[in-house]
Amino acid sequence: MCDYHNAKIKSRRGASRRWQNQRSALMPSQQGAKLPPPSLAHVIAVAMMVRFIVMAAIWTAIFLTSLLNHEVSMSSTDSYCGPCPKSWLCYRNNCYQFFNERKNWYQSRASCMSQNSSLLKIYSTEDQDFLKLVKPYHWMGLVQIPANGSWQWEDGSILLPNQVTIVQMENSTCAVYGSNFKGYTENCFTPNTYICMKSVV
C-alpha cells in the first residue's frame, strides 16, 4: 500500500516537473516575440529630425514675413512720398538731410543752396511731427528782421504762430531748431549742425 502511495506521489512530481520544463521552454519563445526596445541612437536621431523640421519651418516663416514687410514699406514710401536724393530722408512731401558738420548760419545756408535746397523750414507741427524726435540744435532757415523784430523764413514768408515758438536766448538774429517745435535764438556766426530740406520733385 505504501509502495503504491509513494509511486503515485512520484508520478505527480514527475508530471509537475514536466509541466514546469514545458513552461520554461515556452518562455524564451514568448519573450522573443516582443519588439526590442529602441536604442538611444535611434531616439536621438528622431529628435534631431523633428527639431530640424521645426527650425526650418520657423526660419521660412520669418523670411517670408520680412520679405512681405519690406515690399509693403517700399511700396508705401514710394507712393506716399516720392523720390528723394540718395541718403535723404523722405517724409510726406519733403526731403530732409541732416548734416553733422558744424558751420555758421551763412555757411549752412550756402551748403543747402549748393544742393538745390534750403535750411529747415517748419510748415506745420502736424505735417512735420517727426521733428519731435530730432535732437537739438540745428540751424533753421529763420532770421529776424532788425527793422521790426519779426521773424521770417528764407523764402520771405513770415513766421506763423503754429510753426515754431521762438525762445529768446540771446540778442541774435538767427535761430536753431531745439525740440518740440521750439526755436532758440543763436549768434549767426556760432558753428552748429544744420538741416537742409526741399520739396519732392
Side-chain angles (χ1 to χ4, degrees):
M1 184 73 179
C2 287
D3 291 339
Y4 173 77
H5 182 70
N6 289 336
K8 194 171 182 181
I9 291 174
K10 286 180 181 180
S11 174
R12 287 180 183 174
R13 286 178 181 173
S16 176
R17 285 195 191 101
R18 285 194 299 275
W19 181 81
Q20 287 178 353
N21 289 338
Q22 289 176 354
R23 183 181 175 191
S24 61
L26 289 173
M27 288 297 289
S29 63
Q30 290 175 351
Q31 289 175 355
K34 293 181 181 179
L35 293 174
S39 65
L40 182 61
H42 180 73
V43 172
I44 292 174
V46 171
M48 292 294 288
M49 184 183 299
V50 171
R51 182 181 177 190
F52 173 78
I53 293 171
V54 171
M55 291 300 293
I58 291 173
W59 281 111
T60 302
I62 291 172
F63 174 75
L64 292 175
T65 302
S66 65
L67 184 64
L68 290 173
N69 288 341
H70 179 69
E71 290 178 355
V72 169
S73 63
M74 288 295 291
S75 61
S76 62
T77 300
D78 292 342
S79 62
Y80 182 62
C81 189
C84 283
K86 188 177 181 180
S87 79
W88 285 59
L89 171 66
C90 188
Y91 186 80
R92 300 217 173 180
N93 295 320
N94 294 302
C95 303
Y96 300 84
Q97 178 65 285
F98 297 77
F99 291 92
N100 292 323
E101 58 184 354
R102 294 180 177 275
K103 296 183 176 183
N104 65 40
W105 189 87
Y106 303 101
Q107 293 169 333
S108 300
R109 181 180 64 172
S111 177
C112 290
M113 290 176 66
S114 70
Q115 301 181 67
N116 195 27
S117 60
S118 62
L119 285 170
L120 176 66
K121 178 180 179 179
I122 308 295
Y123 287 100
S124 70
T125 56
E126 291 80 13
D127 289 341
Q128 293 165 289
D129 57 355
F130 82 100
L131 290 170
K132 292 176 182 177
L133 305 176
V134 174
K135 295 180 180 179
Y137 294 91
H138 306 276
W139 285 122
M140 294 188 294
L142 196 60
V143 291
Q144 190 176 35
I145 306 301
N148 56 17
S150 63
W151 290 84
Q152 70 176 26
W153 299 101
E154 278 185 87
D155 60 9
S157 60
I158 301 298
L159 175 65
L160 300 175
N162 68 333
Q163 293 176 322
V164 177
T165 301
I166 295 295
V167 178
Q168 292 285 342
M169 299 296 289
E170 57 179 284
N171 189 17
S172 302
T173 57
C174 292
V176 292
Y177 178 78
S179 60
N180 294 321
F181 300 101
K182 290 182 181 178
Y184 298 91
T185 58
E186 181 76 279
N187 188 314
C188 299
F189 292 97
T190 302
N192 279 302
T193 56
Y194 56 99
I195 303 173
C196 295
M197 69 174 289
K198 57 183 172 182
S199 298
V200 173
V201 179

Short mmCIF file of all heavy atoms in Angstrom, two decimals, residues 79-127:
data_model
loop_
_atom_site.label_atom_id
_atom_site.label_comp_id
_atom_site.label_asym_id
_atom_site.label_seq_id
_atom_site.Cartn_x
_atom_site.Cartn_y
_atom_site.Cartn_z
N SER A 79 4.78 105.47 -52.97
CA SER A 79 3.51 106.07 -53.34
C SER A 79 3.17 107.26 -52.46
O SER A 79 2.48 108.17 -52.88
CB SER A 79 2.39 105.02 -53.25
OG SER A 79 2.28 104.56 -51.92
N TYR A 80 3.67 107.26 -51.24
CA TYR A 80 3.29 108.31 -50.29
C TYR A 80 4.17 109.53 -50.40
O TYR A 80 3.70 110.65 -50.28
CB TYR A 80 3.36 107.75 -48.87
CG TYR A 80 2.95 108.71 -47.78
CD1 TYR A 80 1.65 109.22 -47.75
CD2 TYR A 80 3.84 109.11 -46.80
CE1 TYR A 80 1.27 110.08 -46.76
CE2 TYR A 80 3.47 109.99 -45.82
CZ TYR A 80 2.17 110.47 -45.80
OH TYR A 80 1.79 111.35 -44.82
N CYS A 81 5.48 109.33 -50.62
CA CYS A 81 6.40 110.44 -50.54
C CYS A 81 7.01 110.84 -51.87
O CYS A 81 7.14 112.00 -52.18
CB CYS A 81 7.52 110.10 -49.56
SG CYS A 81 8.58 111.48 -49.18
N GLY A 82 7.38 109.88 -52.65
CA GLY A 82 8.04 110.22 -53.89
C GLY A 82 9.55 110.14 -53.75
O GLY A 82 10.08 109.92 -52.67
N PRO A 83 10.27 110.33 -54.85
CA PRO A 83 11.72 110.15 -54.82
C PRO A 83 12.45 111.31 -54.15
O PRO A 83 12.07 112.47 -54.27
CB PRO A 83 12.08 110.07 -56.31
CG PRO A 83 11.01 110.89 -56.99
CD PRO A 83 9.76 110.68 -56.18
N CYS A 84 13.51 110.98 -53.45
CA CYS A 84 14.42 111.96 -52.85
C CYS A 84 15.84 111.58 -53.23
O CYS A 84 16.10 110.43 -53.58
CB CYS A 84 14.29 111.97 -51.32
SG CYS A 84 12.83 112.83 -50.71
N PRO A 85 16.78 112.52 -53.15
CA PRO A 85 18.18 112.16 -53.42
C PRO A 85 18.65 111.06 -52.48
O PRO A 85 18.12 110.90 -51.38
CB PRO A 85 18.94 113.47 -53.16
CG PRO A 85 17.91 114.53 -53.34
CD PRO A 85 16.62 113.95 -52.88
N LYS A 86 19.66 110.34 -52.91
CA LYS A 86 20.20 109.26 -52.11
C LYS A 86 20.67 109.78 -50.76
O LYS A 86 21.29 110.84 -50.68
CB LYS A 86 21.36 108.59 -52.85
CG LYS A 86 21.87 107.33 -52.19
CD LYS A 86 22.95 106.69 -53.02
CE LYS A 86 23.46 105.42 -52.36
NZ LYS A 86 24.52 104.78 -53.15
N SER A 87 20.35 109.06 -49.69
CA SER A 87 20.71 109.36 -48.29
C SER A 87 19.85 110.46 -47.67
O SER A 87 20.04 110.83 -46.53
CB SER A 87 22.20 109.71 -48.14
OG SER A 87 22.46 111.05 -48.54
N TRP A 88 18.89 110.99 -48.41
CA TRP A 88 17.98 111.99 -47.84
C TRP A 88 16.77 111.28 -47.25
O TRP A 88 16.33 110.25 -47.76
CB TRP A 88 17.53 112.99 -48.90
CG TRP A 88 18.58 113.99 -49.28
CD1 TRP A 88 19.81 113.73 -49.80
CD2 TRP A 88 18.47 115.42 -49.19
NE1 TRP A 88 20.49 114.91 -50.03
CE2 TRP A 88 19.70 115.96 -49.67
CE3 TRP A 88 17.48 116.29 -48.75
CZ2 TRP A 88 19.95 117.33 -49.72
CZ3 TRP A 88 17.72 117.67 -48.81
CH2 TRP A 88 18.95 118.17 -49.27
N LEU A 89 16.23 111.85 -46.18
CA LEU A 89 15.04 111.30 -45.55
C LEU A 89 13.80 111.83 -46.26
O LEU A 89 13.67 113.03 -46.48
CB LEU A 89 14.99 111.70 -44.07
CG LEU A 89 13.69 111.39 -43.32
CD1 LEU A 89 13.50 109.89 -43.20
CD2 LEU A 89 13.71 112.02 -41.94
N CYS A 90 12.93 110.92 -46.63
CA CYS A 90 11.69 111.29 -47.32
C CYS A 90 10.54 111.24 -46.34
O CYS A 90 10.28 110.18 -45.74
CB CYS A 90 11.47 110.33 -48.49
SG CYS A 90 10.11 110.81 -49.55
N TYR A 91 9.88 112.36 -46.14
CA TYR A 91 8.71 112.39 -45.25
C TYR A 91 7.63 113.26 -45.85
O TYR A 91 7.84 114.45 -46.09
CB TYR A 91 9.12 112.90 -43.87
CG TYR A 91 7.99 112.82 -42.85
CD1 TYR A 91 7.70 111.62 -42.21
CD2 TYR A 91 7.22 113.93 -42.55
CE1 TYR A 91 6.68 111.53 -41.29
CE2 TYR A 91 6.18 113.85 -41.63
CZ TYR A 91 5.91 112.65 -41.01
OH TYR A 91 4.89 112.57 -40.10
N ARG A 92 6.51 112.64 -46.09
CA ARG A 92 5.38 113.30 -46.74
C ARG A 92 5.82 113.94 -48.05
O ARG A 92 6.30 113.26 -48.93
CB ARG A 92 4.74 114.30 -45.78
CG ARG A 92 4.23 113.61 -44.51
CD ARG A 92 2.95 114.20 -43.99
NE ARG A 92 2.46 113.39 -42.89
CZ ARG A 92 1.35 113.66 -42.23
NH1 ARG A 92 0.62 114.70 -42.55
NH2 ARG A 92 0.96 112.87 -41.26
N ASN A 93 5.74 115.25 -48.17
CA ASN A 93 6.06 115.88 -49.45
C ASN A 93 7.41 116.57 -49.46
O ASN A 93 7.67 117.41 -50.32
CB ASN A 93 4.95 116.89 -49.82
CG ASN A 93 3.62 116.21 -50.08
OD1 ASN A 93 3.58 115.15 -50.68
ND2 ASN A 93 2.55 116.82 -49.61
N ASN A 94 8.28 116.24 -48.50
CA ASN A 94 9.57 116.90 -48.41
C ASN A 94 10.70 115.90 -48.25
O ASN A 94 10.51 114.77 -47.77
CB ASN A 94 9.59 117.88 -47.24
CG ASN A 94 8.64 119.04 -47.44
OD1 ASN A 94 8.72 119.78 -48.40
ND2 ASN A 94 7.69 119.19 -46.51
N CYS A 95 11.89 116.35 -48.65
CA CYS A 95 13.12 115.58 -48.46
C CYS A 95 13.99 116.32 -47.45
O CYS A 95 14.10 117.55 -47.51
CB CYS A 95 13.88 115.45 -49.78
SG CYS A 95 12.93 114.69 -51.12
N TYR A 96 14.61 115.58 -46.53
CA TYR A 96 15.42 116.18 -45.47
C TYR A 96 16.80 115.54 -45.45
O TYR A 96 16.94 114.34 -45.67
CB TYR A 96 14.77 115.98 -44.10
CG TYR A 96 13.39 116.59 -43.97
CD1 TYR A 96 12.26 115.89 -44.41
CD2 TYR A 96 13.21 117.85 -43.42
CE1 TYR A 96 10.99 116.43 -44.29
CE2 TYR A 96 11.93 118.41 -43.29
CZ TYR A 96 10.83 117.69 -43.73
OH TYR A 96 9.58 118.23 -43.62
N GLN A 97 17.79 116.36 -45.15
CA GLN A 97 19.15 115.86 -44.96
C GLN A 97 19.73 116.49 -43.70
O GLN A 97 19.68 117.71 -43.52
CB GLN A 97 20.03 116.20 -46.16
CG GLN A 97 21.49 115.77 -46.03
CD GLN A 97 21.64 114.26 -45.96
OE1 GLN A 97 21.36 113.65 -44.94
NE2 GLN A 97 22.10 113.66 -47.05
N PHE A 98 20.25 115.64 -42.82
CA PHE A 98 20.83 116.09 -41.55
C PHE A 98 22.35 116.07 -41.68
O PHE A 98 22.93 115.02 -41.94
CB PHE A 98 20.38 115.20 -40.40
CG PHE A 98 18.89 115.24 -40.16
CD1 PHE A 98 18.01 114.54 -41.00
CD2 PHE A 98 18.37 115.98 -39.11
CE1 PHE A 98 16.64 114.59 -40.77
CE2 PHE A 98 17.01 116.01 -38.88
CZ PHE A 98 16.14 115.33 -39.71
N PHE A 99 22.98 117.21 -41.48
CA PHE A 99 24.43 117.31 -41.60
C PHE A 99 25.06 117.44 -40.21
O PHE A 99 24.66 118.30 -39.41
CB PHE A 99 24.81 118.52 -42.46
CG PHE A 99 24.44 118.35 -43.91
CD1 PHE A 99 23.21 118.80 -44.38
CD2 PHE A 99 25.29 117.72 -44.80
CE1 PHE A 99 22.85 118.65 -45.71
CE2 PHE A 99 24.95 117.55 -46.13
CZ PHE A 99 23.73 118.02 -46.59
N ASN A 100 26.05 116.60 -39.95
CA ASN A 100 26.72 116.62 -38.65
C ASN A 100 27.87 117.61 -38.59
O ASN A 100 28.36 117.93 -37.50
CB ASN A 100 27.24 115.21 -38.30
CG ASN A 100 26.10 114.24 -38.03
OD1 ASN A 100 25.08 114.61 -37.45
ND2 ASN A 100 26.26 113.00 -38.46
N GLU A 101 28.31 118.08 -39.74
CA GLU A 101 29.38 119.08 -39.74
C GLU A 101 28.84 120.40 -39.19
O GLU A 101 27.69 120.76 -39.41
CB GLU A 101 29.92 119.28 -41.16
CG GLU A 101 28.85 119.71 -42.17
CD GLU A 101 29.40 119.80 -43.59
OE1 GLU A 101 30.62 119.64 -43.76
OE2 GLU A 101 28.60 120.03 -44.51
N ARG A 102 29.70 121.12 -38.48
CA ARG A 102 29.29 122.38 -37.85
C ARG A 102 29.72 123.57 -38.70
O ARG A 102 30.91 123.70 -39.02
CB ARG A 102 29.86 122.48 -36.44
CG ARG A 102 29.29 121.44 -35.49
CD ARG A 102 29.88 121.55 -34.09
NE ARG A 102 29.26 120.61 -33.20
CZ ARG A 102 28.12 120.82 -32.54
NH1 ARG A 102 27.50 121.98 -32.66
NH2 ARG A 102 27.62 119.89 -31.74
N LYS A 103 28.77 124.42 -39.01
CA LYS A 103 29.03 125.64 -39.78
C LYS A 103 28.19 126.77 -39.20
O LYS A 103 27.20 126.52 -38.50
CB LYS A 103 28.68 125.44 -41.26
CG LYS A 103 29.53 124.39 -41.97
CD LYS A 103 29.18 124.31 -43.43
CE LYS A 103 30.09 123.33 -44.16
NZ LYS A 103 29.82 123.28 -45.61
N ASN A 104 28.59 128.00 -39.50
CA ASN A 104 27.74 129.10 -39.07
C ASN A 104 26.50 129.16 -39.96
O ASN A 104 26.38 128.42 -40.94
CB ASN A 104 28.52 130.43 -39.02
CG ASN A 104 28.98 130.89 -40.40
OD1 ASN A 104 28.26 130.78 -41.40
ND2 ASN A 104 30.19 131.43 -40.46
N TRP A 105 25.60 130.07 -39.65
CA TRP A 105 24.33 130.10 -40.36
C TRP A 105 24.52 130.36 -41.85
O TRP A 105 23.89 129.71 -42.69
CB TRP A 105 23.41 131.17 -39.75
CG TRP A 105 22.00 131.14 -40.27
CD1 TRP A 105 20.98 130.39 -39.79
CD2 TRP A 105 21.48 131.87 -41.39
NE1 TRP A 105 19.83 130.61 -40.54
CE2 TRP A 105 20.13 131.53 -41.53
CE3 TRP A 105 22.04 132.79 -42.28
CZ2 TRP A 105 19.32 132.06 -42.52
CZ3 TRP A 105 21.23 133.33 -43.29
CH2 TRP A 105 19.88 132.96 -43.40
N TYR A 106 25.38 131.28 -42.22
CA TYR A 106 25.59 131.65 -43.62
C TYR A 106 26.23 130.51 -44.41
O TYR A 106 25.85 130.24 -45.55
CB TYR A 106 26.46 132.91 -43.70
CG TYR A 106 25.85 134.08 -42.94
CD1 TYR A 106 26.32 134.43 -41.68
CD2 TYR A 106 24.81 134.82 -43.49
CE1 TYR A 106 25.76 135.48 -40.97
CE2 TYR A 106 24.23 135.89 -42.80
CZ TYR A 106 24.71 136.20 -41.53
OH TYR A 106 24.15 137.25 -40.84
N GLN A 107 27.20 129.84 -43.79
CA GLN A 107 27.83 128.69 -44.44
C GLN A 107 26.85 127.54 -44.61
O GLN A 107 26.85 126.84 -45.63
CB GLN A 107 29.04 128.22 -43.63
CG GLN A 107 30.20 129.20 -43.59
CD GLN A 107 31.25 128.82 -42.58
OE1 GLN A 107 30.96 128.15 -41.57
NE2 GLN A 107 32.49 129.24 -42.81
N SER A 108 26.01 127.35 -43.61
CA SER A 108 25.00 126.29 -43.67
C SER A 108 24.00 126.57 -44.78
O SER A 108 23.63 125.66 -45.55
CB SER A 108 24.27 126.17 -42.33
OG SER A 108 25.18 125.86 -41.29
N ARG A 109 23.57 127.82 -44.88
CA ARG A 109 22.63 128.18 -45.95
C ARG A 109 23.27 127.97 -47.32
O ARG A 109 22.63 127.44 -48.23
CB ARG A 109 22.18 129.63 -45.80
CG ARG A 109 21.18 130.07 -46.87
CD ARG A 109 20.73 131.49 -46.71
NE ARG A 109 21.85 132.43 -46.88
CZ ARG A 109 21.70 133.75 -46.94
NH1 ARG A 109 20.49 134.28 -46.82
NH2 ARG A 109 22.74 134.53 -47.08
N ALA A 110 24.55 128.35 -47.46
CA ALA A 110 25.25 128.16 -48.74
C ALA A 110 25.37 126.68 -49.08
O ALA A 110 25.24 126.29 -50.25
CB ALA A 110 26.62 128.83 -48.68
N SER A 111 25.63 125.84 -48.07
CA SER A 111 25.73 124.40 -48.31
C SER A 111 24.41 123.83 -48.82
O SER A 111 24.39 123.01 -49.75
CB SER A 111 26.15 123.69 -47.01
OG SER A 111 26.18 122.29 -47.19
N CYS A 112 23.31 124.27 -48.22
CA CYS A 112 21.99 123.79 -48.67
C CYS A 112 21.69 124.28 -50.09
O CYS A 112 21.19 123.52 -50.93
CB CYS A 112 20.90 124.28 -47.72
SG CYS A 112 20.93 123.50 -46.08
N MET A 113 22.02 125.54 -50.37
CA MET A 113 21.75 126.10 -51.70
C MET A 113 22.54 125.35 -52.77
O MET A 113 22.05 125.15 -53.89
CB MET A 113 22.10 127.59 -51.72
CG MET A 113 21.14 128.46 -50.92
SD MET A 113 21.65 130.21 -50.86
CE MET A 113 21.46 130.66 -52.59
N SER A 114 23.75 124.89 -52.42
CA SER A 114 24.56 124.15 -53.40
C SER A 114 23.93 122.80 -53.74
O SER A 114 24.30 122.18 -54.74
CB SER A 114 25.97 123.96 -52.86
OG SER A 114 25.98 123.04 -51.77
N GLN A 115 23.01 122.34 -52.91
CA GLN A 115 22.32 121.07 -53.15
C GLN A 115 20.86 121.29 -53.54
O GLN A 115 20.01 120.43 -53.34
CB GLN A 115 22.41 120.19 -51.89
CG GLN A 115 23.85 119.90 -51.51
CD GLN A 115 23.95 119.02 -50.28
OE1 GLN A 115 23.57 117.85 -50.32
NE2 GLN A 115 24.46 119.56 -49.19
N ASN A 116 20.62 122.49 -54.06
CA ASN A 116 19.28 122.84 -54.54
C ASN A 116 18.23 122.69 -53.45
O ASN A 116 17.13 122.16 -53.67
CB ASN A 116 18.91 121.99 -55.76
CG ASN A 116 17.72 122.55 -56.53
OD1 ASN A 116 17.48 123.76 -56.49
ND2 ASN A 116 16.98 121.69 -57.20
N SER A 117 18.57 123.14 -52.25
CA SER A 117 17.66 123.05 -51.12
C SER A 117 17.83 124.29 -50.25
O SER A 117 18.63 125.18 -50.57
CB SER A 117 17.94 121.79 -50.30
OG SER A 117 19.27 121.81 -49.79
N SER A 118 17.11 124.35 -49.16
CA SER A 118 17.21 125.47 -48.22
C SER A 118 17.31 124.93 -46.81
O SER A 118 17.08 123.74 -46.57
CB SER A 118 16.00 126.40 -48.36
OG SER A 118 14.82 125.68 -48.03
N LEU A 119 17.65 125.80 -45.86
CA LEU A 119 17.67 125.37 -44.46
C LEU A 119 16.26 125.00 -44.02
O LEU A 119 15.26 125.42 -44.64
CB LEU A 119 18.23 126.49 -43.58
CG LEU A 119 19.75 126.69 -43.63
CD1 LEU A 119 20.15 127.97 -42.90
CD2 LEU A 119 20.49 125.50 -43.03
N LEU A 120 16.18 124.24 -42.97
CA LEU A 120 14.90 123.72 -42.48
C LEU A 120 13.85 124.80 -42.31
O LEU A 120 14.10 125.85 -41.73
CB LEU A 120 15.12 123.03 -41.12
CG LEU A 120 13.87 122.51 -40.41
CD1 LEU A 120 13.22 121.38 -41.19
CD2 LEU A 120 14.22 122.07 -39.00
N LYS A 121 12.68 124.52 -42.85
CA LYS A 121 11.50 125.37 -42.63
C LYS A 121 10.40 124.51 -42.04
O LYS A 121 10.12 123.41 -42.53
CB LYS A 121 11.04 126.01 -43.94
CG LYS A 121 9.78 126.85 -43.74
CD LYS A 121 9.30 127.49 -45.04
CE LYS A 121 8.04 128.31 -44.80
NZ LYS A 121 7.54 128.96 -46.04
N ILE A 122 9.78 124.99 -40.98
CA ILE A 122 8.65 124.29 -40.36
C ILE A 122 7.36 124.81 -40.97
O ILE A 122 7.00 125.97 -40.77
CB ILE A 122 8.62 124.50 -38.83
CG1 ILE A 122 9.98 124.17 -38.20
CG2 ILE A 122 7.52 123.68 -38.20
CD1 ILE A 122 10.39 122.73 -38.31
N TYR A 123 6.68 123.97 -41.71
CA TYR A 123 5.41 124.38 -42.30
C TYR A 123 4.28 124.27 -41.29
O TYR A 123 3.45 125.17 -41.16
CB TYR A 123 5.10 123.53 -43.54
CG TYR A 123 5.97 123.86 -44.72
CD1 TYR A 123 7.07 123.09 -45.03
CD2 TYR A 123 5.69 124.96 -45.52
CE1 TYR A 123 7.88 123.39 -46.12
CE2 TYR A 123 6.49 125.28 -46.61
CZ TYR A 123 7.59 124.48 -46.91
OH TYR A 123 8.39 124.79 -47.98
N SER A 124 4.23 123.14 -40.59
CA SER A 124 3.23 122.96 -39.54
C SER A 124 3.66 121.81 -38.65
O SER A 124 4.39 120.92 -39.08
CB SER A 124 1.85 122.68 -40.14
OG SER A 124 1.81 121.39 -40.72
N THR A 125 3.19 121.84 -37.42
CA THR A 125 3.54 120.77 -36.48
C THR A 125 2.89 119.46 -36.89
O THR A 125 3.42 118.39 -36.58
CB THR A 125 3.09 121.15 -35.05
OG1 THR A 125 1.68 121.43 -35.06
CG2 THR A 125 3.84 122.38 -34.56
N GLU A 126 1.76 119.53 -37.58
CA GLU A 126 1.08 118.30 -37.99
C GLU A 126 1.82 117.63 -39.15
O GLU A 126 2.00 116.41 -39.17
CB GLU A 126 -0.37 118.59 -38.41
CG GLU A 126 -1.28 119.01 -37.28
CD GLU A 126 -1.11 120.48 -36.90
OE1 GLU A 126 -0.47 121.22 -37.68
OE2 GLU A 126 -1.60 120.87 -35.83
N ASP A 127 2.25 118.40 -40.13
CA ASP A 127 2.90 117.84 -41.30
C ASP A 127 4.33 117.39 -41.03
O ASP A 127 4.88 116.58 -41.79
CB ASP A 127 2.91 118.86 -42.45
CG ASP A 127 1.52 119.07 -43.03
OD1 ASP A 127 0.65 118.20 -42.80
OD2 ASP A 127 1.29 120.10 -43.69
#
